[in-house]
Amino acid sequence: MTKIVLTGAAGRLGSYLREPLLALCDELVSTDIVEDIGKLYPRETYVKADLARMDQIAPLMEGADMVVHFGAIVDEKPFEELLGPNFIGSYNVWEAGYKAGVRRIVYASSIHAVGMHLKSEFIGTDAEHRPDTFYGLAKCFTEDLGRMYWDKRGMESVHLRILSCAQVNNTRALGSWLSYTDLIQLVTRAIDTPSVGFAIIYGVSNNDRAPVDNSKASFLGYRPVDNAEIFAAQLLAEETTVDTSDPGQMCQGGPFAKVDLGQSGLAQMNVVNDKKEI
Ligand SMILES: NC(=O)c1ccc[n+]([C@@H]2O[C@H](COP(=O)([O-])OP(=O)(O)OC[C@H]3O[C@@H](n4cnc5c(N)ncnc54)[C@H](O)[C@@H]3O)[C@@H](O)[C@H]2O)c1
């Protein structure tokens, strides 16, 4: 592959993807809204661009084979704040990608697209959209956008419904954890599978307590190796309150299923920013 574009390159997940993506292409164009991302890998360039601005996104797509679209505001916010980066930003990536002849987009969707489903339902990749927030609604919008560009224009996309790719420090994560090792495998399979059409897959490790079913995405060849069960004994001993009327405990979206629309979900969580440094 000649060129891959990575959006959200300054973010936490982006920091773990840059090096493995370079192994798959001649040239990696990393982009984000921040001024710069510091040291670059060989064959990597950085371009500052706002996802909400078509005039800044379109030039990045020239000559690109694939886009790995991870840029977004990553929390629940008032709709107006998400509209530019998370909704219009997705449209800009798809439309500019299509015009430039991009073959495939690999998108960081989220469990929050289906966050109001109960964990006990063990939903598959064909579960109906049940967003828990405006943030989740933007993921639903982008999944539908991807489906439409495949149906109408033949542009492929793989939508990675990531559960929680962060250090395991709560009992929800015993089911929802996606390790960085498995994230890299997931993105690699989404890129190197010869034909994908429109596909959805959950981004989750091989956890004993995973609350979702990836069997219909088996053709992508994603076989996660890590299992959050190694953290179970300690976390279960620490966390004692169980409230079956609490959507934050019962629903796929966890704290996002509980917060009011427009209110931060991340504020209820303790996400460690262990970004990878070069
Ligand atoms: N971390 C998780 O557990 C998780 C779970 C589900 C989905 N995701 C998705 O994965 C992706 C990456 O998440 P992350 O945890 O690395 O978050 P992050 O906040 O660390 O990274 C997101 C990046 O997007 C950039 N960005 C924001 N607005 C932008 C704009 N207008 N133009 C260009 N860039 C902009 C930010 O500067 C940031 O560097 C996101 O799309 C997120 O929704 C993450």
Side-chain angles (χ1 to χ4, degrees), residues 61-153:
M61 302 294 163
E62 282 162 28
D65 300 291
M66 292 195 192
V67 179
V68 178
H69 180 30
F70 272 58
I73 289 183
V74 186
D75 196 3
E76 172 63 345
K77 302 266 185 199
F79 179 79
E80 294 75 11
E81 288 181 42
L82 298 177
L83 181 61
N86 293 20
F87 288 83
I88 295 171
S90 287
Y91 168 75
N92 288 341
V93 168
W94 256 263
E95 179 62 15
Y98 172 72
K99 283 192 175 139
V102 165
R103 183 153 68 87
R104 184 181 303 171
I105 298 175
V106 176
Y107 175 57
S109 187
S110 167
I111 191 66
H112 300 297
V114 288
M116 295 311 295
H117 285 282
L118 292 174
K119 288 195 276 189
S120 56
E121 289 172 27
F122 195 54
I123 52 172
T125 50
D126 53 0
E128 66 177 325
H129 282 160
R130 282 187 76 180
D132 51 27
T133 44
F134 292 127
Y135 169 76
L137 185 67
K139 299 300 187 188
C140 295
F141 167 79
T142 306
E143 289 186 2
D144 282 352
L145 185 78
R147 168 162 270 166
M148 187 177 74
Y149 272 72
W150 168 244
D151 286 342
K152 305 279 287 195
R153 293 177 158 181

Side-chain angles (χ1 to χ4, degrees), residues 33-63:
I33 201 167
V34 304
E35 205 51 53
D36 87 289
I37 55 171
K39 212 169 153 206
L40 297 174
Y41 294 99
R43 298 181 288 108
E44 179 186 31
T45 51
Y46 178 73
V47 183
K48 178 188 172 185
D50 182 350
L51 285 164
R53 294 274 305 271
M54 180 62 104
D55 61 327
Q56 296 181 11
I57 295 303
L60 301 175
M61 302 294 163
E62 282 162 28

Side-chain angles (χ1 to χ4, degrees), residues 11-12 15-16 167 180 270-277:
R12 188 163 54 81
S15 75
Y16 287 90
Q167 288 184 15
Y180 292 126
N270 180 21
V271 178
V272 177
N273 188 7
D274 55 353
K275 212 188 259 192
K276 181 178 171 185
E277 304 293 339

